[in-house]
Amino acid sequence: MLSAADNDLLTRTGIDTPMGQFFRQFWQPIALSEELMQKDGSPLCVKIMGEEFIAFRNTQGELGLVDSKCPHRGANLFYGRNEECGIRCVFHGWKFDIDGMPMELPNVPTGAQYHETIRLRSFPVAEFGGIIWGYIGATKSEAKNLAPPPMLEMGLLPESHRYVTKKLQECNWAQSIEGALDTSHFSFLHMPAPTVPSNQNADAPADEKRLKWIREDTLPQFSIIEHEAGFVVGGSRMADEGKRYWRAAQFALPSHSTTPSTLPGETYFGYTWVPINDESCWIYTYAWNPERPLTEEEVSKFKGGHGVIAEVDEHYIPIRNRSNNYLIDREMQKHINYTGVRGVAEQDAMIQDSQGRIADRTTEHLCASDIAIVQFRRKVMEGARAVTQGVKPLSALKPSTYTLRSGSYIADEGVEFEQVMLARFGTRSGLVVAKK
């Protein structure tokens, strides 16, 4: 268990907190590309780690990320006009470009000092993998030699090979990512009801044989391999004919993860958590296949919710959520699935949200299967403490270390995790090595 002080260190990401300063050393997703497709389109409100910004795409198609408040009287620029390569406050017409430079100050006399001194804070922004990324650790003018956003594999592939979306999660970012790294829970949370003899689950990205092994072996054996961006955790269960079924999941700083079910040739899944505030977060979720384009049938399935991808409305709010008790059906719970809630992502959200808006880790009792959770907390808390001492995370400077894969493999009894990773991915860490 954690002390109350350490729980605060882990969960709080405001600008004046160690974890908040740590997160601000990294690029963060601020929107999906599809939310800002139109030139001179509607500005988008961006709230991240308790701070509010405005994102917009100007007349030339360039992206801007600026403070939400006009420096004149503090009016919100969300209500502004995105026109002729700038965002104009509708209060008194002050207008700024994507770099925060004043373009027009209509009620300020020509030659007045404001024309030279007034600036709207503007932040670095980039587009990669169907996601718009922002860096709020420094303004554009302050950011020097800034590395690109993390090179997630899905962003290196043609658009036809990936599907990217997001969903709202109504709890603290840390307990949600802990739920993803805790792969042992699949033996219960995502299984059929105990009375159902079949091991099929149409919502899970795994076949009946794999689900049978997960269901029958509730005590996987875990191993961890650290790498430059974070670590990969592998859990092995008993399989048929004396084999072991391995499931490996990635964690990359500060809040990226990939799922453990993918076999060679299948589609990979991953997600990135972005704190909105300390009690809610966005989860950017993505599926990608490096070997082929996704089919229309797959994309249709993702839009309706599949695996870690939730079914969401036009505002990316899950259809089954905290406000409606995830549409839990007690008859379904008795006779069909273990939870009475449809969807793997929704089942995860239900149990993570149920821990409270911010989980109280002072009362928990961890066990052997929680090794990835312990390692996750250690990595991010060490990083947060280091930033307060002026030590910046090296992984933020090495975007290529984020091109990671994870998934499943069947090996003989006694084969070590490192050999499993080498056999499955060609590298001990799961890092994808570019072909020459």
Side-chain angles (χ1 to χ4, degrees), residues 23-247:
F23 261 78
R24 285 165 175 80
Q25 303 299 312
F26 297 86
W27 288 91
Q28 301 291 331
I30 60 168
L32 296 169
S33 293
E34 66 185 35
E35 295 181 88
L36 286 174
M37 293 292 290
Q38 186 179 356
K39 298 176 183 178
D40 288 339
S42 300
L44 183 70
C45 285
V46 174
K47 187 169 184 179
I48 177 170
M49 293 179 278
E51 294 191 82
E52 294 185 1
F53 307 93
I54 294 297
F56 64 101
R57 193 182 292 272
N58 72 9
T59 312
Q60 304 301 323
E62 301 166 313
L63 288 163
L65 178 66
V66 298
D67 270 337
S68 64
K69 301 296 186 182
C70 177
H72 177 212
R73 298 279 301 282
N76 197 316
L77 291 171
F78 169 74
Y79 301 106
R81 298 176 59 87
N82 183 11
E83 59 183 22
E84 298 176 340
C85 287
I87 187 80
R88 185 188 296 276
C89 180
V90 295
F91 198 1
H92 296 93
W94 285 26
K95 182 179 177 182
F96 299 87
D97 65 17
I98 60 171
D99 295 320
M101 300 295 290
M103 301 175 72
E104 295 180 30
L105 304 177
N107 62 347
V108 178
T110 301
Q113 187 180 22
Y114 276 5
H115 289 281
E116 304 298 327
T117 60
I118 286 292
R119 299 289 184 270
L120 184 64
R121 284 200 313 163
S122 175
F123 299 86
V125 63
E127 197 165 8
F128 178 74
I131 294 173
I132 297 170
W133 301 76
Y135 184 89
I136 64 169
T139 63
K140 275 187 176 180
S141 60
E142 296 167 340
K144 306 297 182 184
N145 302 316
L146 190 61
M151 294 175 61
L152 306 176
E153 186 182 24
M154 62 88 178
L156 301 175
L157 300 172
E159 187 176 353
S160 60
H161 288 236
R162 64 174 178 258
Y163 178 83
V164 185
T165 186
K166 68 179 183 180
K167 69 164 186 172
L168 178 69
Q169 180 85 29
E170 298 180 90
C171 70
N172 182 263
W173 74 279
Q175 69 206 58
S176 183
I177 197 170
E178 286 176 354
L181 291 171
D182 164 30
T183 62
S184 69
H185 74 255
F186 213 111
S187 296
F188 294 92
L189 187 64
H190 306 310
M191 284 295 149
T195 55
V196 177
S198 169
N199 294 296
Q200 290 182 338
N201 182 348
D203 293 324
D207 57 28
E208 187 174 5
K209 181 168 63 175
R210 280 176 276 172
L211 292 176
K212 170 181 175 290
W213 297 333
I214 295 171
R215 190 180 193 181
E216 291 180 350
D217 188 348
T218 63
L219 193 62
Q221 299 174 12
F222 286 99
S223 301
I224 282 181
I225 296 173
E226 293 196 52
H227 52 65
E228 287 186 285
F231 64 86
V232 58
V233 56
S236 71
R237 289 175 167 90
M238 292 181 292
D240 298 337
E241 300 175 350
K243 303 284 188 179
R244 301 290 296 184
Y245 171 47
W246 283 88
R247 300 172 78 237

Side-chain angles (χ1 to χ4, degrees), residues 1-7 10 360-367 370 373-374 377 381:
M1 66 180 69
L2 294 183
S3 67
D6 278 350
N7 200 45
L10 175 66
D360 180 4
R361 292 170 179 79
T362 66
T363 62
E364 66 186 6
H365 296 80
L366 300 184
C367 59
D370 297 315
I373 292 172
V374 173
R377 294 176 185 176
M381 290 168 69

Side-chain angles (χ1 to χ4, degrees), residues 267-320:
T267 295
Y268 293 87
F269 294 86
Y271 18 38
T272 300
W273 285 257
V274 183
I276 300 170
N277 52 37
D278 291 337
E279 296 188 350
S280 62
C281 58
W282 287 111
I283 306 178
Y284 287 76
T285 50
Y286 29 91
W288 76 98
N289 196 307
E291 299 178 19
R292 60 168 176 80
L294 300 177
T295 66
E296 290 185 8
E297 181 181 357
E298 286 174 308
V299 172
S300 177
K301 184 186 292 186
F302 297 152
K303 289 181 178 179
H306 179 68
V308 299
I309 299 175
E311 183 182 9
V312 298
D313 65 16
E314 67 273 21
H315 304 294
Y316 308 100
I317 310 301
I319 302 300
R320 296 174 289 284

